[in-house]
Amino acid sequence: MTKGIFGSAICATAVSALLLTAAAPGQTAAAEEPFRPFGLNLEGSLGEGGHSRYVPPLTNPLFNETPYITTEARAIYFYHALPNDFVTGGGDVNLVALQLRVALTERLGFIATKDGYADFQFDDVLEDESGFANIAFGFKYALISEPEDETLLTLGLRYEIPVNDLETSGIELQGDGDGFLNPFVTGATTFGDLGLQASFGANIALDGDADTSIVHYSAHADYEVLPGFFPLIEINGFTPIDHGNRLTGALGDLDGVDVLNFGSDDRDTTVTVGGGFRYQFNDNVQIGLGGETPITDKDDSIFDYRVYFDLVLSL
């Protein structure tokens, strides 16, 4: 299964490299005339006269969407540790994914932010499993965009398609219904070298019996301590608003948080805190590294801690 993970990572890197090639500056004439196929403004929020500061969130990459309209490929890897108190006695998950965003205009963007390949290794009880995550895509629109203040407010909507490719011991791990609708609002502003972002949304199950609907909320702060170097801290929350009834009894209070959805009938709120840094090599390339862990009770969760790494290649 390691081959599968690294194969996906290589594929993600290859796609990202193609985007970087397109984004690389060429002749002077090309720099003066931005590449705009079919009239699209691929530079989005970051074009000439636009925003100059772009530090996307690191943790909660599925729901904590940046308000900036960008054209980018973001390759993501995370290691997820299961708590020892979980029914399996522990274990881990390795996930690789590739998020794609395309700016259609200065304010309108297409986003494909959930996909990837996951490898589950359980210490006991459940069978190991690997497969593809659900796919989510949609659009977002910058309702407010003020480059002079580095301030944005963006509305968005995603649809998550149920791939149904992750199952262990008869338990569907990521949703067993008709998918999800995810409306959200996200914003950002700055105060000197301090950048602040926040997002709020709802992941609404289209089959309320099969899957659990939640609201999700995130806050992010970063500070440029050196040129291109941004330490950051983030808080994320996931609160159920309509429980499913697919997982009941002793397992009914388990929490799938973000990637997974067990359709549990009694899951509780999970709040996490994360930290790390981003480093920008130039306007087109940046990396992120950090970790995340719950600050709420882990007894009813599959979340012990995560370690993240991502590579963002933007136009």
Side-chain angles (χ1 to χ4, degrees), residues 82-91 121-126:
L82 301 173
N84 292 333
D85 291 338
F86 183 51
V87 64
T88 62
Q121 300 290 325
F122 302 108
D123 287 350
D124 200 359
V125 181
L126 299 179

Side-chain angles (χ1 to χ4, degrees), residues 79-135:
Y79 172 84
H80 177 112
L82 301 173
N84 292 333
D85 291 338
F86 183 51
V87 64
T88 62
D92 55 56
V93 184
N94 289 275
L95 182 139
V96 291
L98 179 66
Q99 295 183 335
L100 297 175
R101 295 172 176 84
V102 180
L104 306 178
T105 71
E106 179 184 336
R107 291 178 179 261
L108 178 65
F110 169 81
I111 56 176
T113 52
K114 183 175 182 180
D115 58 22
Y117 192 86
D119 179 33
F120 291 78
Q121 300 290 325
F122 302 108
D123 287 350
D124 200 359
V125 181
L126 299 179
E127 297 178 358
D128 294 343
E129 169 69 337
S130 59
F132 291 97
N134 287 348
I135 297 172

